[in-house]
Amino acid sequence: MNARLSPQSPSRRGFLQGAALVVGFSFTGLSGARAQAIVGVSTHTLDLAELDAFLAIRKDGSVVVYSGKVDLGTGHRIAMRQMVAEELSMTADGVRRIELIEGDTALTPNQGPTAGSTGVMRGGVQLRQAAATAREALLALAAAKLQRPAAELTLEAGLIGAASGGPKVSIAELAGDRPFNVKLNPKAPLKDPQRYSIVGRSLPRPDIPAKATGRHVFVHDFTLPDMLHGRVLRPAAVGAKLIEVDAASIKHIPGARVIRIENFLGVVAEDEWAAVRAARELKARWSPGTGLVGHAGVVDWARRGPFVRDEVLLSRGNTAGLAAPGGSPRALRATYSWPVQSHASMGPSCAVADVQAERATIWSASQATHRYQPALARVLDLPRDKVRVIYLDGAGCYGMNGHDDAAADAALLAKAAGRPVRVQWMRADELGWDPKGPPQLIELRATLDENKRIAAWESEMWVPLATANLAHVPLLGPADAGIAQPAGQSVGLISQNAGPSTPVANVKVIAHWLADAPLRPSNIRAPGKVANCFAVESFIDQLAATAKMDPFEFRLRDLTDPRGVEVLKRCAALIGWTPGASRATTQIGAKARGRGIAYIHYKHNESYVAVAMQVEVERASGAIRVLQIACAHDCGLMINPDAVRNQVEGNLLQTLSRTLYERTTFDTQRVTSADWASYPILRFGEVPELRIDLIQRLDQPPLGAGEAASTPVPAALANAVFDATGARLFEAPFAPETVRAAMQKVS
Amino acid sequence: MSTFDLLVNGKQHRVDSWDPEQPLLYALRNDLRLHGAKFGCGEGQCGSCTVLIDERPVRACQVSVAAAAGKRITTIEGLGSSEQPHPVQAAFIAEQAAQCGYCTNGMVMSTVALLRATPRPSLEEAKTALQGNLCRCGSHDRVLRAVQRAAGNTTGRS
């Protein structure tokens, strides 16, 4: 197995072989001969209306699946296979023989970016429908061949025949290495979930053996013959212009070359270490930056604007009077804020580009190879269809990190150098320059009626506006190189779940849309909803406390959706919740213990999640220790429960990290939290006990598991701290000094 | 240009480097094409590049080729393969202890070193041994289960 067997010929055939090899490696390490067999079925359509865009049968009866959505370390590789195999009535062993090609603009249909927890929910469901269509088409072909009505035939383990006996025909014979030439049938009947034998099982992921033995080919590991190593010198400050470069300052480094395109500055070298040292030692003079608000100024900035517009997102009943200060003792208001955060990927972003005169191939860990294909084509001044972007695994990204920027960097350097270039960012590039999760500010107001129910509720948000129909996030390299890009910003669906989490008759949700963001933003896991759920579910907890009710019972009383009720009850049971008022006043001693709970119906129409925590707060320091996290989770049909569990564990622990530790700091010029010391994340010593209850719903559509469970984490934690100490936390991260200050307010 | 003799996974290799201070990581990845060790920070803060030198876990981004020459270096590829994994690798596979897998190299190598020194680590000992290995996906719980499995301790999922 050697990733260097990759394409050198600019011909289409060469490219296809390269892709097949690469994809093969990342699955089971296919032999070259077998991988080349993929080439035979790769001249198919990419038209989403055609079955052939998604699926092909090989002559040996194995199945090739073309997925526009990719596995970001999330288990899609096994889940997609299971969904297809189930509809084709394959054996569990057959699942392993499915070849899955992902995120290749030349080979896979454009199913949209792998984002928003839509991989299985949309992408997998599309593949499942393709498999059902294939099953229908195969049965029709068999009916003609066997001279029997299709209704009498069944497909099982690659063979079609009548249940009553008689001759059988294999799917390889019917469709091996031949296109179906059939439209995708959105009504092709799906298998009855009660008869599932593949879906719903925790089959092991195909990529983990190679990952655990160091053989998995990440984009970081991919190399081309004659390849140079590149590094990019990002400006000394955000928006700084390059005044002067002293190329002589690196002449002691063998083979190192400076590449400058206006304000874009990079180095290339034969040797990676030479490129690293050249980037470190190259002397360049930059103008001052265009000026940042600084992390301490973010909340003021959010209140001040400039704003694009105000928008009423939801208005029901009458909330007049809520905005007025003072009033009823049953009226409550609070303001919550969430900081700028980095995706903080473990591996700095990387890409490899091979740019020829007429065409280019770029290997990238992009979540959206199809979306960035035209962007990269513009960077290279090539027609879109002459640029091929191929997905290879990166380090987990959880939204758009630096991978797409790195792809543009590699393209720029490769074009200038006239040779293939591999670019890997350094640690400071990634934490300093990945597009950031934007800051959020949210004010909540509510009143309770005489029965202690929520009578009226208003949410008011100050958040960056996502530019409508933005083709893609503007990339750093092209911006510095003076290449035109669409102007605007992306933040994801940031305003969802900002209203009350339980039914309330009188509600208003308002957004003050900010024109920009303190640092270039992009979507970060569960965009907006981590902060919104933090605010909303903390506020529900405050309302419960005002009503002198147990916060679990307060929610349970008002929640009407039975699936919501079930996750809430199961979560409380997991953590051994015993109803009662806050214990803050009854505890003495150096450490106080508490428990908190929070709930979300993700995006109001997707997964249901409840999270509860047991925590301990050290009074003197304000340090929080999380002892236990419980999570009850309903994402509808689970294709692979262990893959879901893996995602849920990740959501809980990553968001615990974001809540306890993470804030990108920056001054007026640049990000100042650009290493793991200044941008700390969760370590093993702080990992709490996890208790997870996954609800399998065979009769429901599959929903996303990649984001939802992250959202109740901050509120569950804040509510537990309140239970322990009586102190309410309004801003993340919950650093000891923040907790200490909140405790001082109480006493 | 200087030449360094590196003993990696039981085999002698001769590596040329124009800079004796070149970190071992780059020589492993680019000259020996052993991609298991990953660049994560270049500052010894994350553990993604961990290898064993004379049985001890070392950050390959922090040790120079000159310093590594003549010592016994073990990379994750030297432990086992997908077909014949080392017991620690087998435990990671059995527990499905990875998401993106970028940090997995460091987790596996640190665990091998831990178990050589402490064959039956407690949960707290395992956490302490892995304190310098960062994971962003949140696979910590699975990694800890894999450590316990590799140690032959019973693992239970709550």
Side-chain angles (χ1 to χ4, degrees):
Chain A
M1 288 203 318
N2 188 338
R4 287 178 193 249
L5 293 173
S6 44
Q8 8 201 331
S9 150
S11 74
R12 176 170 170 80
R13 185 173 164 75
F15 279 148
L16 293 177
Q17 286 177 356
L21 284 166
V22 168
V23 172
F25 286 145
S26 53
F27 178 29
T28 50
L30 294 177
S31 71
R34 180 150 166 235
Q36 285 193 21
I38 298 167
V39 178
V41 291
S42 63
T43 53
H44 66 291
T45 174
L46 302 185
D47 183 348
L48 288 162
E50 297 288 333
L51 168 57
D52 292 318
F54 296 98
L55 195 143
I57 311 267
R58 278 205 215 104
K59 240 190 169 81
D60 65 359
S62 61
V63 173
V64 185
V65 173
Y66 301 93
S67 174
K69 304 264 192 199
V70 300
D71 191 322
L72 301 165
T74 41
H76 286 167
R77 285 191 183 109
I78 190 62
M80 302 296 184
R81 284 182 169 91
Q82 286 178 263
M83 293 176 87
V84 166
E86 187 68 71
E87 296 305 323
L88 290 174
S89 298
M90 297 168 73
T91 60
D93 187 52
V95 179
R96 289 194 59 76
R97 291 181 63 214
I98 294 176
E99 204 65 55
L100 183 74
I101 297 179
E102 305 167 272
D104 180 334
T105 57
L107 296 177
T108 63
N110 181 2
Q111 294 180 277
T114 310
S117 212
T118 58
V120 163
M121 184 168 56
R122 307 254 166 77
V125 163
Q126 237 171 347
L127 293 177
R128 181 174 70 176
Q129 203 58 41
T133 304
R135 178 193 187 91
E136 205 173 44
L138 288 164
L139 289 173
L141 288 169
K145 185 108 182 169
L146 300 173
Q147 301 284 303
R148 301 192 68 154
E152 290 178 14
L153 301 175
T154 54
L155 165 61
E156 203 61 55
L159 293 173
I160 298 179
S164 54
K168 293 191 173 194
V169 59
S170 74
I171 60 170
E173 194 182 333
L174 293 168
D177 282 5
R178 284 195 297 278
F180 283 99
N181 291 323
V182 167
K183 295 277 177 219
L184 187 78
N185 178 9
K187 299 242 165 77
L190 295 170
K191 199 176 212 179
D192 173 4
Q194 298 303 327
R195 291 175 45 233
Y196 279 166
S197 62
I198 306 266
V199 165
R201 288 171 61 186
S202 291
L203 298 182
R205 280 170 44 177
D207 51 341
I208 290 188
K211 286 177 174 174
T213 55
R215 265 73 166 191
H216 189 82
V217 178
F218 290 80
V219 68
H220 306 76
D221 307 323
F222 181 79
T223 58
L224 292 172
D226 202 32
M227 182 187 88
L228 294 170
H229 289 274
R231 289 292 185 277
V232 174
L233 287 85
R234 301 260 87 104
V238 175
K241 303 291 177 213
L242 183 55
I243 297 167
E244 186 176 44
V245 184
D246 175 13
S249 61
I250 58 163
K251 71 170 192 285
H252 60 291
I253 298 171
R257 262 175 70 191
V258 175
I259 290 175
R260 176 183 181 177
I261 308 166
E262 298 195 14
N263 298 301
F264 174 81
L265 183 59
V267 292
V268 294
E270 303 285 339
D271 177 72
E272 188 175 10
W273 176 240
V276 172
R277 275 196 52 187
R280 200 183 280 169
E281 293 168 39
L282 180 64
K283 290 201 168 69
R285 211 149 61 78
W286 300 86
S287 74
T290 41
L292 304 171
V293 297
H295 65 267
V298 165
V299 170
D300 288 343
W301 161 84
R303 295 267 192 195
R304 195 171 59 232
F307 300 97
V308 180
R309 63 173 182 274
D310 297 335
E311 186 177 0
V312 177
L313 297 167
L314 174 66
S315 182
R316 186 168 63 219
N318 181 8
T319 59
L322 268 182
S328 155
R330 295 192 303 266
L332 210 60
R333 66 163 61 204
T335 303
Y336 296 84
S337 67
W338 195 262
V340 177
Q341 293 182 329
S342 172
H343 300 82
S345 294
M346 284 310 302
S349 293
C350 184
V352 178
D354 180 13
V355 178
Q356 313 272 338
E358 312 257 302
R359 59 176 67 233
T361 308
I362 295 158
W363 288 264
S364 164
S366 177
Q367 291 180 287
T369 50
H370 285 91
R371 174 174 290 178
Y372 282 90
Q373 181 190 27
L376 294 166
R378 209 172 311 116
V379 166
L380 295 169
D381 200 19
L382 285 170
R384 174 186 180 148
D385 65 350
K386 299 295 181 195
V387 175
R388 180 176 179 191
V389 189
I390 301 172
Y391 174 77
L392 283 177
D393 291 40
C397 56
Y398 335 102
M400 182 190 165
N401 66 353
H403 283 314
D404 293 300
D405 291 302
D409 291 342
L412 285 166
L413 292 179
K415 184 177 179 179
R419 280 170 62 181
V421 172
R422 171 189 183 272
V423 171
Q424 178 161 17
W425 283 14
M426 302 302 282
R427 172 50 44 202
D429 297 328
E430 189 68 36
L431 288 170
W433 291 90
D434 78 312
K436 299 292 184 291
Q440 289 171 256
L441 183 67
I442 179 165
E443 184 175 308
L444 302 176
R445 296 178 286 272
T447 50
L448 297 170
D449 67 16
E450 54 280 11
N451 299 316
K452 301 179 179 177
R453 288 178 190 272
I454 303 171
W457 175 297
E458 279 186 358
S459 304
E460 196 172 358
M461 285 175 275
W462 291 262
V463 279
L465 178 68
T467 307
N469 304 314
L470 182 67
H472 62 83
V473 173
L475 301 174
L476 297 172
D480 287 334
I483 296 167
Q485 297 189 87
Q489 61 188 6
S490 168
V491 292
L493 299 169
I494 198 172
S495 64
Q496 294 169 319
N497 288 107
S501 48
T502 55
V504 175
N506 303 297
V507 179
K508 189 181 259 185
V509 178
I510 303 158
H512 304 286
W513 291 116
L514 288 152
D516 52 18
L519 294 166
R520 182 180 61 140
S522 77
N523 54 318
I524 191 168
R525 197 173 203 166
K529 293 167 279 289
V530 170
N532 293 342
C533 187
F534 164 48
V536 167
E537 281 290 292
S538 293
F539 197 57
I540 293 271
D541 212 69
Q542 287 184 269
L543 289 165
T546 304
K548 298 194 168 36
M549 282 182 68
D550 175 81
F552 163 65
E553 292 184 331
F554 185 83
R555 288 173 174 83
L556 199 61
R557 180 196 63 186
D558 291 344
L559 210 51
T560 50
D561 188 326
R563 289 172 73 177
V565 168
E566 182 162 1
V567 293
L568 201 60
K569 283 184 172 170
R570 285 200 190 202
C571 182
L574 275 180
I575 207 149
W577 190 281
T578 48
S582 165
R583 289 167 294 167
T585 53
T586 59
Q587 296 188 83
I588 47 166
K591 290 174 179 172
R593 285 197 174 194
R595 84 278 196 268
I597 194 163
Y599 160 80
I600 195 164
H601 182 195
Y602 194 61
K603 302 183 190 174
H604 297 298
N605 61 7
E606 292 181 13
S607 299
Y608 298 81
V609 190
V611 171
M613 290 195 200
Q614 300 275 7
V615 307
E616 191 174 78
V617 181
E618 193 179 69
R619 289 185 201 276
S621 66
I624 298 170
R625 189 163 154 243
V626 178
L627 306 171
Q628 193 179 76
I629 306 181
C631 175
H633 192 269
D634 171 1
C635 61
L637 171 66
M638 287 189 287
I639 309 302
N640 183 314
D642 188 60
V644 170
R645 181 179 292 268
N646 204 344
Q647 283 300 292
V648 171
E649 290 173 10
N651 273 303
L652 298 175
L653 293 180
Q654 186 181 85
T655 314
L656 182 63
S657 177
R658 288 174 67 182
T659 307
L660 282 174
Y661 311 113
E662 297 181 32
R663 175 172 67 158
T664 293
T665 60
F666 51 104
D667 56 24
T668 60
Q669 296 295 303
R670 65 188 73 81
V671 169
T672 53
S673 53
D675 66 11
W676 293 123
S678 52
Y679 195 91
I681 62 171
L682 186 79
R683 288 178 186 272
F684 274 92
E686 293 101 46
V687 173
E689 181 196 345
L690 301 181
R691 295 186 177 185
I692 294 168
D693 185 2
L694 304 175
I695 302 172
Q696 175 64 291
R697 297 208 184 271
L698 290 176
D699 60 339
Q700 293 292 328
L703 303 168
E707 296 181 332
S710 62
T711 55
V713 168
L717 179 49
N719 297 343
V721 169
F722 174 79
D723 184 46
T725 64
R728 180 59 60 185
L729 299 171
F730 297 100
E731 61 178 307
F734 302 166
E737 58 271 21
T738 304
V739 177
R740 222 164 46 228
M743 285 193 294
Q744 274 157 10
K745 271 190 198 161
V746 180
S747 60
Chain B
M1 191 70 79
S2 312
T3 300
F4 301 91
D5 288 319
L6 297 179
L7 177 58
V8 183
N9 300 331
K11 278 193 211 147
Q12 279 290 352
H13 297 270
R14 187 151 277 202
V15 169
D16 295 327
S17 180
W18 61 277
D19 180 3
E21 292 307 308
Q22 174 182 200
L24 174 65
L25 178 64
Y26 296 101
L28 292 174
R29 290 180 54 83
N30 298 325
D31 295 298
L32 306 186
R33 306 197 181 170
L34 295 168
H35 289 152
K38 298 281 186 277
F39 175 86
C41 65
E43 295 164 9
Q45 292 180 335
C46 78
S48 299
C49 64
T50 305
V51 299
L52 304 182
I53 296 185
D54 294 339
E55 308 293 320
R56 294 168 44 132
V58 169
R59 306 294 186 238
C61 74
Q62 295 296 299
V63 57
S64 68
V65 278
K71 305 216 166 82
R72 259 181 324 125
I73 301 161
T74 306
T75 73
I76 191 168
E77 291 93 341
L79 297 179
S81 63
S82 293
E83 295 72 33
Q84 287 185 302
H86 179 279
V88 169
Q89 293 171 322
F92 272 71
I93 295 166
E95 293 291 344
Q96 297 281 288
Q99 289 186 39
C100 82
Y102 198 87
C103 72
T104 305
N105 168 70
M107 301 294 172
V108 168
M109 300 311 285
S110 296
T111 302
V112 169
L114 165 68
L115 296 185
R116 281 183 186 162
T118 312
R120 288 287 177 113
S122 67
L123 182 63
E124 287 312 310
E125 285 172 320
K127 286 182 174 181
T128 302
L130 293 168
Q131 187 70 355
N133 289 89
L134 298 180
C135 165
R136 182 55 165 167
C137 292
S139 300
H140 306 72
D141 200 51
R142 281 165 189 262
V143 170
L144 292 170
R145 291 203 295 267
V147 175
Q148 295 302 318
R149 178 186 280 265
N153 295 343
T154 50
T155 67
R157 191 177 269 170
S158 50

